[in-house]
Coordinates of all heavy atoms in Angstrom, one line a residue:
R1 N 31.8 23.5 21.3 CA 30.8 24.5 21.5 C 31.4 25.9 21.4 O 32.4 26.2 21.9 CB 30.2 24.3 22.9 CG 28.7 24.6 22.9 CD 28.1 24.3 24.2 NE 27.6 25.6 24.9 CZ 26.7 26.3 24.4 NH1 26.1 26.1 23.3 NH2 26.3 27.4 25.1
M2 N 30.7 26.7 20.6 CA 31.2 28.1 20.4 C 30.9 28.9 21.7 O 29.9 28.8 22.3 CB 30.4 28.8 19.2 CG 31.1 28.6 17.9 SD 30.5 29.8 16.7 CE 28.9 29.1 16.3
S3 N 31.8 29.9 21.9 CA 31.6 30.8 23.0 C 30.4 31.7 22.7 O 30.1 31.9 21.5 CB 32.9 31.6 23.3 OG 33.0 32.6 22.2
R4 N 29.9 32.4 23.7 CA 28.8 33.3 23.5 C 29.2 34.4 22.5 O 28.4 34.8 21.6 CB 28.4 33.9 24.9 CG 27.0 34.4 24.9 CD 26.7 34.8 26.3 NE 26.0 36.1 26.4 CZ 24.9 36.4 25.8 NH1 24.2 35.5 25.1 NH2 24.4 37.6 25.8
H5 N 30.4 34.9 22.7 CA 30.9 36.0 21.8 C 31.0 35.5 20.3 O 30.6 36.2 19.4 CB 32.3 36.5 22.3 CG 32.9 37.6 21.4 ND1 32.3 38.8 21.4 CD2 33.9 37.6 20.6 CE1 33.0 39.6 20.6 NE2 34.0 38.9 20.0
A6 N 31.5 34.3 20.1 CA 31.7 33.7 18.8 C 30.3 33.5 18.2 O 30.1 33.7 17.0 CB 32.4 32.4 18.8
Q7 N 29.3 33.1 19.0 CA 27.9 32.9 18.5 C 27.4 34.3 18.0 O 26.7 34.3 17.0 CB 27.0 32.3 19.6 CG 27.3 30.8 19.8 CD 26.5 30.3 20.9 OE1 26.2 31.0 21.9 NE2 26.1 29.0 20.8
Q8 N 27.6 35.3 18.8 CA 27.1 36.6 18.4 C 27.7 37.1 17.1 O 27.0 37.7 16.3 CB 27.4 37.7 19.6 CG 26.5 37.5 20.8 CD 26.8 38.6 21.8 OE1 27.9 39.1 21.9 NE2 25.8 38.9 22.6
L9 N 29.0 36.8 16.9 CA 29.7 37.2 15.7 C 29.1 36.5 14.5 O 29.2 37.0 13.4 CB 31.2 37.0 15.8 CG 31.9 37.9 16.8 CD1 33.4 37.5 16.8 CD2 31.8 39.4 16.4
R10 N 28.6 35.3 14.7 CA 27.9 34.5 13.6 C 26.5 34.9 13.4 O 25.8 34.5 12.5 CB 28.0 33.0 13.9 CG 29.4 32.5 14.1 CD 30.3 32.7 12.9 NE 29.8 32.2 11.6 CZ 30.1 32.7 10.4 NH1 31.0 33.6 10.3 NH2 29.5 32.2 9.4
D11 N 25.9 35.7 14.4 CA 24.5 36.0 14.3 C 24.2 37.2 13.4 O 24.7 38.3 13.6 CB 24.0 36.4 15.8 CG 22.5 36.6 15.8 OD1 21.9 37.0 14.8 OD2 21.9 36.5 16.9
H12 N 23.5 36.9 12.3 CA 23.3 38.0 11.3 C 22.5 39.2 11.8 O 22.6 40.2 11.3 CB 22.6 37.4 10.1 CG 23.5 36.5 9.3 ND1 24.2 36.9 8.2 CD2 23.7 35.1 9.4 CE1 24.9 35.9 7.7 NE2 24.6 34.8 8.4
D13 N 21.7 39.0 12.9 CA 21.0 40.1 13.5 C 21.9 41.0 14.3 O 21.7 42.2 14.4 CB 19.8 39.7 14.4 CG 18.6 39.2 13.6 OD1 18.4 39.8 12.5 OD2 17.9 38.4 14.0
I14 N 23.1 40.5 14.8 CA 24.0 41.3 15.6 C 25.2 41.8 14.7 O 25.5 42.9 14.8 CB 24.6 40.4 16.7 CG1 23.4 40.1 17.7 CG2 25.7 41.2 17.5 CD1 23.8 39.1 18.8
N15 N 25.7 40.9 13.9 CA 26.8 41.3 13.0 C 26.4 41.4 11.6 O 26.2 40.4 10.9 CB 27.9 40.2 13.2 CG 29.1 40.5 12.3 OD1 29.2 41.5 11.6 ND2 30.1 39.6 12.3
P16 N 26.3 42.6 11.0 CA 25.9 42.8 9.7 C 26.9 42.4 8.6 O 26.7 42.4 7.4 CB 25.6 44.3 9.6 CG 26.5 44.9 10.6 CD 26.6 43.9 11.7
C17 N 28.2 42.1 9.1 CA 29.2 41.9 8.1 C 29.8 40.4 8.2 O 30.9 40.2 7.9 CB 30.4 42.9 8.4 SG 29.8 44.6 8.3
V18 N 28.9 39.5 8.5 CA 29.3 38.1 8.5 C 29.8 37.6 7.2 O 30.9 37.0 7.1 CB 28.1 37.2 9.0 CG1 28.5 35.7 8.8 CG2 27.7 37.5 10.4
A19 N 29.2 38.0 6.1 CA 29.6 37.5 4.8 C 31.0 38.1 4.4 O 31.9 37.4 3.9 CB 28.6 38.0 3.7
E20 N 31.2 39.4 4.8 CA 32.5 40.0 4.5 C 33.6 39.4 5.4 O 34.8 39.2 4.9 CB 32.5 41.5 4.8 CG 31.6 42.3 3.7 CD 30.1 42.2 3.9 OE1 29.7 41.5 4.9 OE2 29.4 42.7 3.1
T21 N 33.3 39.0 6.6 CA 34.2 38.4 7.5 C 34.6 37.0 6.9 O 35.8 36.7 6.9 CB 33.6 38.1 8.9 OG1 33.1 39.4 9.4 CG2 34.5 37.5 9.9
D22 N 33.6 36.2 6.5 CA 33.9 34.9 6.0 C 34.7 35.0 4.7 O 35.6 34.2 4.5 CB 32.6 34.2 5.7 CG 31.8 33.8 6.9 OD1 32.4 33.9 8.0 OD2 30.6 33.4 6.8
A23 N 34.4 36.0 3.8 CA 35.1 36.1 2.6 C 36.6 36.4 2.8 O 37.5 35.9 2.2 CB 34.5 37.2 1.7
S24 N 36.9 37.3 3.8 CA 38.2 37.7 4.2 C 39.0 36.5 4.7 O 40.1 36.2 4.3 CB 38.3 38.8 5.2 OG 37.7 40.0 4.8
R25 N 38.3 35.8 5.6 CA 39.0 34.6 6.2 C 39.3 33.5 5.2 O 40.3 32.9 5.1 CB 38.0 34.0 7.3 CG 38.7 33.0 8.2 CD 38.0 32.7 9.4 NE 38.0 33.9 10.3 CZ 36.9 34.3 11.0 NH1 35.7 33.7 10.9 NH2 37.0 35.4 11.8
K26 N 38.3 33.3 4.2 CA 38.5 32.3 3.2 C 39.7 32.7 2.3 O 40.5 31.9 1.9 CB 37.3 32.1 2.3 CG 37.4 31.1 1.3 CD 36.1 30.9 0.5 CE 36.2 29.9 -0.6 NZ 37.5 29.6 -1.2
C27 N 39.8 34.0 1.9 CA 40.9 34.5 1.1 C 42.2 34.3 1.8 O 43.1 33.8 1.2 CB 40.7 36.0 0.8 SG 42.0 36.7 -0.2
M28 N 42.3 34.5 3.1 CA 43.5 34.3 3.8 C 43.9 32.8 3.8 O 45.0 32.5 3.6 CB 43.4 34.8 5.3 CG 43.3 36.3 5.4 SD 44.9 37.1 5.0 CE 45.7 36.8 6.6
D29 N 42.9 32.0 4.1 CA 43.1 30.5 4.0 C 43.6 30.1 2.6 O 44.6 29.3 2.5 CB 41.8 29.7 4.3 CG 41.4 29.9 5.8 OD1 42.3 30.3 6.7 OD2 40.3 29.5 6.1
D30 N 43.0 30.6 1.6 CA 43.3 30.2 0.2 C 44.7 30.7 -0.2 O 45.2 30.1 -1.1 CB 42.2 30.7 -0.7 CG 40.9 30.0 -0.5 OD1 40.8 29.0 0.2 OD2 39.9 30.5 -1.1
N31 N 45.1 31.8 0.4 CA 46.3 32.4 -0.1 C 47.5 32.3 0.9 O 48.4 33.2 1.0 CB 46.1 33.9 -0.4 CG 45.3 34.0 -1.7 OD1 45.7 33.8 -2.8 ND2 44.0 34.4 -1.5
N32 N 47.4 31.3 1.7 CA 48.5 31.0 2.7 C 48.8 32.2 3.6 O 50.0 32.5 3.9 CB 49.7 30.6 1.9 CG 50.6 29.6 2.7 OD1 50.2 29.1 3.7 ND2 51.8 29.4 2.2
Y33 N 47.8 32.9 4.0 CA 47.9 34.1 4.9 C 48.8 35.2 4.4 O 49.4 35.9 5.2 CB 48.3 33.6 6.3 CG 47.1 32.8 6.9 CD1 47.0 31.4 6.6 CD2 46.1 33.4 7.6 CE1 45.9 30.7 7.0 CE2 45.0 32.7 8.0 CZ 44.9 31.3 7.8 OH 43.8 30.6 8.2
K34 N 48.8 35.4 3.1 CA 49.5 36.6 2.5 C 48.4 37.7 2.4 O 47.6 37.7 1.6 CB 50.0 36.2 1.1 CG 51.1 35.2 1.1 CD 51.8 35.2 -0.2 CE 52.9 34.1 -0.3 NZ 52.3 32.8 -0.8
K35 N 48.5 38.6 3.4 CA 47.5 39.7 3.5 C 47.4 40.5 2.3 O 46.3 40.9 1.9 CB 47.9 40.6 4.7 CG 47.6 40.0 6.0 CD 47.9 40.9 7.2 CE 47.6 40.2 8.5 NZ 48.2 41.0 9.6
D36 N 48.5 40.8 1.6 CA 48.4 41.6 0.4 C 47.5 41.0 -0.7 O 47.1 41.7 -1.6 CB 49.8 42.0 -0.1 CG 50.7 40.8 -0.5 OD1 50.5 39.8 0.3 OD2 51.5 40.8 -1.4
M37 N 47.3 39.7 -0.7 CA 46.5 39.0 -1.7 C 45.0 39.3 -1.4 O 44.1 39.1 -2.3 CB 46.7 37.5 -1.7 CG 48.1 37.1 -1.9 SD 48.6 37.4 -3.6 CE 47.8 36.0 -4.4
C38 N 44.7 39.8 -0.2 CA 43.2 39.9 0.2 C 42.8 41.3 0.5 O 41.7 41.6 1.1 CB 43.0 39.1 1.5 SG 43.5 37.3 1.2
T39 N 43.6 42.3 0.1 CA 43.3 43.7 0.3 C 41.8 44.1 0.0 O 41.2 44.8 0.8 CB 44.2 44.6 -0.4 OG1 45.6 44.2 -0.1 CG2 44.1 46.1 0.0
A40 N 41.4 43.7 -1.2 CA 40.0 44.0 -1.6 C 39.0 43.5 -0.6 O 38.0 44.2 -0.3 CB 39.7 43.4 -3.0
Y41 N 39.2 42.3 -0.1 CA 38.2 41.7 0.9 C 38.3 42.5 2.2 O 37.2 42.8 2.8 CB 38.6 40.3 1.2 CG 38.4 39.3 0.0 CD1 39.4 39.0 -0.8 CD2 37.1 38.8 -0.2 CE1 39.2 38.2 -1.9 CE2 36.9 38.0 -1.3 CZ 37.9 37.7 -2.2 OH 37.7 36.9 -3.2
F42 N 39.5 42.9 2.6 CA 39.6 43.7 3.8 C 38.9 45.1 3.7 O 38.2 45.5 4.6 CB 41.1 43.9 4.2 CG 41.8 42.7 4.5 CD1 43.2 42.6 4.2 CD2 41.2 41.6 5.0 CE1 43.9 41.4 4.5 CE2 41.9 40.4 5.3 CZ 43.3 40.4 5.0
L43 N 39.1 45.7 2.5 CA 38.4 47.0 2.3 C 36.9 46.9 2.3 O 36.2 47.7 2.8 CB 38.9 47.6 1.0 CG 40.3 48.1 1.0 CD1 40.8 48.5 -0.4 CD2 40.5 49.2 2.0
K44 N 36.4 45.8 1.7 CA 34.9 45.5 1.7 C 34.4 45.4 3.1 O 33.4 45.9 3.5 CB 34.6 44.3 0.9 CG 34.3 44.5 -0.5 CD 33.7 43.3 -1.2 CE 34.0 43.4 -2.7 NZ 34.1 42.1 -3.4
Y45 N 35.2 44.6 3.9 CA 34.8 44.4 5.4 C 34.8 45.7 6.1 O 33.9 46.1 6.8 CB 35.8 43.4 6.0 CG 35.6 43.3 7.5 CD1 34.6 42.6 8.0 CD2 36.4 44.0 8.4 CE1 34.4 42.5 9.4 CE2 36.2 44.0 9.7 CZ 35.2 43.2 10.3 OH 35.0 43.2 11.6
K46 N 35.9 46.5 5.9 CA 36.0 47.8 6.6 C 34.9 48.8 6.2 O 34.3 49.4 7.1 CB 37.4 48.4 6.2 CG 37.9 49.4 7.2 CD 39.4 49.7 6.8 CE 39.8 51.0 7.6 NZ 41.1 51.4 7.2
S47 N 34.5 48.8 4.9 CA 33.5 49.7 4.5 C 32.1 49.2 5.0 O 31.3 50.0 5.4 CB 33.4 50.0 3.0 OG 33.2 48.8 2.3
C48 N 31.9 47.9 5.1 CA 30.7 47.3 5.7 C 30.6 47.8 7.2 O 29.6 48.3 7.6 CB 30.7 45.8 5.6 SG 29.3 45.0 6.4
R49 N 31.7 47.6 7.9 CA 31.7 48.0 9.3 C 31.4 49.5 9.5 O 30.6 49.8 10.4 CB 33.0 47.6 10.0 CG 33.4 46.2 10.1 CD 32.5 45.3 10.9 NE 32.4 45.8 12.3 CZ 31.5 45.3 13.2 NH1 30.8 44.3 12.9 NH2 31.5 45.9 14.4
K50 N 32.0 50.3 8.7 CA 31.8 51.7 8.8 C 30.4 52.1 8.5 O 29.8 52.9 9.2 CB 32.8 52.5 7.9 CG 32.7 54.0 8.0 CD 33.5 54.8 7.0 CE 33.4 56.3 7.1 NZ 32.1 56.8 7.7
F51 N 29.9 51.6 7.4 CA 28.5 51.9 7.0 C 27.5 51.6 8.1 O 26.7 52.4 8.6 CB 28.1 51.1 5.8 CG 26.7 51.3 5.3 CD1 26.4 52.5 4.6 CD2 25.7 50.5 5.7 CE1 25.0 52.7 4.2 CE2 24.3 50.7 5.3 CZ 24.0 51.8 4.6
W52 N 27.6 50.3 8.7 CA 26.6 49.9 9.7 C 26.9 50.6 11.1 O 26.0 50.9 11.8 CB 26.6 48.4 9.9 CG 25.9 47.8 8.7 CD1 26.5 47.1 7.7 CD2 24.6 48.1 8.2 NE1 25.6 46.8 6.7 CE2 24.4 47.4 7.0 CE3 23.5 48.8 8.7 CZ2 23.2 47.4 6.3 CZ3 22.3 48.8 8.0 CH2 22.2 48.1 6.8
H53 N 28.2 51.0 11.3 CA 28.5 51.8 12.5 C 27.8 53.1 12.4 O 27.2 53.6 13.4 CB 30.0 51.9 12.7 CG 30.4 52.7 13.9 ND1 30.3 52.3 15.2 CD2 30.8 54.0 14.0 CE1 30.7 53.2 16.0 NE2 31.0 54.3 15.3
D54 N 27.9 53.8 11.3 CA 27.3 55.1 11.1 C 25.8 55.0 11.2 O 25.1 55.8 11.8 CB 27.6 55.6 9.7 CG 29.1 56.0 9.6 OD1 29.8 56.0 10.6 OD2 29.6 56.3 8.5
V55 N 25.2 53.9 10.7 CA 23.7 53.7 10.8 C 23.4 53.6 12.3 O 22.4 54.2 12.8 CB 23.2 52.4 10.0 CG1 21.8 52.0 10.4 CG2 23.3 52.7 8.5
M56 N 24.2 52.8 13.0 CA 23.9 52.5 14.4 C 24.0 53.8 15.3 O 23.2 54.1 16.1 CB 24.9 51.5 14.9 CG 24.5 50.7 16.1 SD 25.6 49.3 16.4 CE 26.9 50.0 17.2
M57 N 25.0 54.6 15.0 CA 25.2 55.9 15.7 C 24.1 56.8 15.4 O 23.6 57.5 16.4 CB 26.6 56.6 15.3 CG 27.8 55.8 15.7 SD 27.8 55.1 17.4 CE 28.0 56.6 18.3
Q58 N 23.6 56.9 14.2 CA 22.4 57.7 13.8 C 21.2 57.3 14.6 O 20.5 58.1 15.2 CB 22.2 57.7 12.3 CG 21.2 58.7 11.8 CD 21.6 60.1 12.1 OE1 22.7 60.5 11.7 NE2 20.8 60.9 12.8
R59 N 21.0 56.0 14.6 CA 19.8 55.4 15.4 C 19.9 55.7 16.8 O 18.9 56.1 17.5 CB 19.7 53.9 15.1 CG 19.2 53.6 13.7 CD 19.3 52.1 13.4 NE 18.5 51.3 14.1 CZ 17.4 50.6 13.7 NH1 17.0 50.8 12.5 NH2 16.7 49.8 14.5
R60 N 21.1 55.6 17.4 CA 21.3 55.9 18.8 C 21.0 57.4 19.1 O 20.3 57.7 20.1 CB 22.8 55.6 19.2 CG 23.1 55.7 20.7 CD 24.5 55.3 21.0 NE 24.7 53.9 20.8 CZ 25.9 53.3 20.7 NH1 27.0 54.0 20.9 NH2 26.0 52.0 20.6
R61 N 21.5 58.3 18.2 CA 21.2 59.7 18.4 C 19.7 60.0 18.3 O 19.2 60.8 19.0 CB 21.9 60.5 17.3 CG 23.3 60.8 17.6 CD 23.9 61.9 16.7 NE 24.0 61.4 15.3 CZ 25.0 60.7 14.8 NH1 26.1 60.4 15.6 NH2 25.0 60.3 13.6
N62 N 19.0 59.2 17.5 CA 17.5 59.4 17.3 C 16.7 58.6 18.3 O 15.5 58.6 18.2 CB 17.1 59.0 15.8 CG 17.8 59.9 14.8 OD1 18.2 61.0 15.1 ND2 17.8 59.5 13.6
G63 N 17.4 57.9 19.2 CA 16.6 57.1 20.2 C 15.9 55.9 19.6 O 15.0 55.4 20.2
V64 N 16.4 55.4 18.5 CA 15.8 54.2 17.8 C 16.4 52.9 18.5 O 17.6 52.8 18.6 CB 16.0 54.2 16.3 CG1 15.4 52.9 15.7 CG2 15.4 55.4 15.7
K65 N 15.5 52.0 18.9 CA 15.9 50.7 19.4 C 15.4 49.6 18.5 O 14.3 49.7 18.0 CB 15.4 50.5 20.8 CG 15.9 51.5 21.8 CD 17.3 51.1 22.3 CE 17.8 52.1 23.4 NZ 19.1 51.8 23.8
P66 N 16.1 48.5 18.3 CA 17.5 48.4 18.7 C 18.4 49.2 17.8 O 18.0 49.6 16.7 CB 17.8 46.9 18.4 CG 16.9 46.5 17.3 CD 15.6 47.3 17.6
E67 N 19.6 49.5 18.3 CA 20.5 50.4 17.6 C 21.0 49.8 16.3 O 21.1 50.5 15.3 CB 21.7 50.8 18.5 CG 21.3 51.7 19.6 CD 22.3 51.9 20.7 OE1 23.3 51.2 20.7 OE2 22.0 52.6 21.7
M68 N 21.2 48.4 16.3 CA 21.5 47.7 15.1 C 20.3 47.2 14.5 O 19.6 46.3 15.1 CB 22.5 46.6 15.4 CG 22.9 45.8 14.2 SD 23.6 46.7 12.8 CE 25.2 47.2 13.4
P69 N 19.9 47.6 13.3 CA 18.7 47.0 12.6 C 18.9 45.5 12.5 O 20.0 45.0 12.3 CB 18.7 47.7 11.3 CG 19.7 48.7 11.3 CD 20.6 48.5 12.4
S70 N 17.7 44.8 12.5 CA 17.8 43.3 12.3 C 18.2 43.0 10.8 O 18.2 43.9 10.0 CB 16.4 42.7 12.5 OG 15.5 43.2 11.4
A71 N 18.6 41.8 10.6 CA 19.1 41.4 9.3 C 18.0 41.7 8.2 O 18.4 42.3 7.1 CB 19.4 39.9 9.3
E72 N 16.8 41.5 8.5 CA 15.7 41.8 7.6 C 15.6 43.3 7.3 O 15.5 43.7 6.1 CB 14.4 41.3 8.2 CG 13.2 41.2 7.2 CD 12.0 40.6 7.8 OE1 12.1 39.6 8.5 OE2 10.9 41.2 7.6
E73 N 15.6 44.1 8.3 CA 15.6 45.5 8.2 C 16.8 46.1 7.4 O 16.6 47.0 6.6 CB 15.6 46.1 9.6 CG 14.6 47.2 9.9 CD 14.7 47.8 11.3 OE1 14.9 47.0 12.3 OE2 14.7 49.0 11.4
R74 N 18.0 45.5 7.7 CA 19.2 45.9 7.0 C 19.0 45.7 5.5 O 19.5 46.5 4.7 CB 20.4 45.3 7.5 CG 20.8 45.7 8.9 CD 22.2 45.3 9.3 NE 22.5 43.9 9.1 CZ 22.3 43.0 10.1 NH1 21.9 43.3 11.3 NH2 22.6 41.8 9.8
E75 N 18.4 44.6 5.1 CA 18.2 44.3 3.6 C 17.4 45.5 3.0 O 17.8 45.9 1.9 CB 17.5 43.0 3.4 CG 18.4 41.9 3.0 CD 17.7 40.6 2.9 OE1 16.7 40.5 2.1 OE2 18.1 39.6 3.6
K76 N 16.4 45.9 3.7 CA 15.5 47.0 3.1 C 16.3 48.3 3.1 O 16.2 49.0 2.1 CB 14.3 47.2 4.0 CG 13.3 46.0 3.9 CD 12.1 46.2 4.8 CE 11.2 45.0 4.7 NZ 10.7 44.4 5.9
I77 N 17.2 48.6 4.1 CA 18.0 49.7 4.1 C 18.9 49.7 2.9 O 19.1 50.7 2.2 CB 18.8 49.9 5.4 CG1 17.8 50.2 6.6 CG2 19.8 51.0 5.3 CD1 18.4 50.1 8.0
L78 N 19.6 48.6 2.7 CA 20.5 48.4 1.5 C 19.8 48.6 0.2 O 20.4 49.3 -0.7 CB 21.2 47.1 1.6 CG 22.3 47.0 2.7 CD1 22.9 45.5 2.7 CD2 23.4 48.0 2.5
E79 N 18.6 48.0 0.1 CA 17.8 48.2 -1.2 C 17.5 49.7 -1.4 O 17.6 50.1 -2.5 CB 16.5 47.4 -1.1 CG 16.8 45.9 -1.3 CD 15.5 45.1 -1.0 OE1 14.4 45.6 -0.8 OE2 15.7 43.8 -0.8
S80 N 17.2 50.4 -0.4 CA 16.8 51.8 -0.5 C 18.0 52.7 -0.8 O 17.9 53.8 -1.4 CB 16.1 52.3 0.7 OG 17.0 52.5 1.8
T81 N 19.3 52.2 -0.5 CA 20.4 53.0 -0.8 C 21.1 52.7 -2.1 O 22.0 53.3 -2.6 CB 21.5 52.9 0.3 OG1 21.9 51.5 0.5 CG2 21.0 53.5 1.7
G82 N 20.6 51.5 -2.7 CA 21.1 51.1 -4.0 C 22.5 50.4 -3.8 O 23.3 50.3 -4.6

């Protein structure tokens, strides 16, 4: 059974970067944990985290709840930003 924290990390409504996390982990598995082989995946993950962190901080400043948009809402945000 997964811990509560692990379940939250797998929850698309809580963690907007599940796909990037999975891709990084798979790259590491596939490349015998040679980090330099997976730099592009790490950068994608990092920019994903930064983008949604900035969205969350803006929503917090504006008093919008929940601070992290739902998975469905995030799709619309991404479509509008191109």
Side-chain angles (χ1 to χ4, degrees):
R1 214 175 114 64
M2 270 198 283
S3 71
R4 204 172 132 62
H5 181 70
Q7 284 174 330
Q8 285 183 332
L9 291 177
R10 301 300 311 155
D11 184 334
H12 289 270
D13 281 331
I14 295 171
N15 179 2
C17 301
V18 172
E20 290 78 3
T21 303
D22 291 347
S24 296
R25 193 166 291 138
K26 183 180 181 331
C27 179
M28 289 290 282
D29 289 343
D30 292 350
N31 290 288
N32 211 14
Y33 294 86
K34 292 191 184 94
K35 287 184 180 165
D36 56 326
M37 303 289 286
C38 302
T39 308
Y41 292 97
F42 298 150
L43 289 174
K44 268 186 203 156
Y45 171 79
K46 203 170 166 183
S47 64
C48 177
R49 295 296 304 175
K50 182 187 179 334
F51 178 82
W52 291 113
H53 177 76
D54 292 348
V55 168
M56 207 167 77
M57 296 313 289
Q58 189 62 53
R59 286 168 67 106
R60 186 175 294 165
R61 279 192 293 274
N62 296 341
V64 177
K65 295 278 181 190
E67 290 165 358
M68 178 55 72
S70 68
E72 194 178 314
E73 228 182 316
R74 288 195 309 266
E75 260 178 54
K76 291 180 180 133
I77 291 170
L78 287 176
E79 283 168 15
S80 72
T81 59

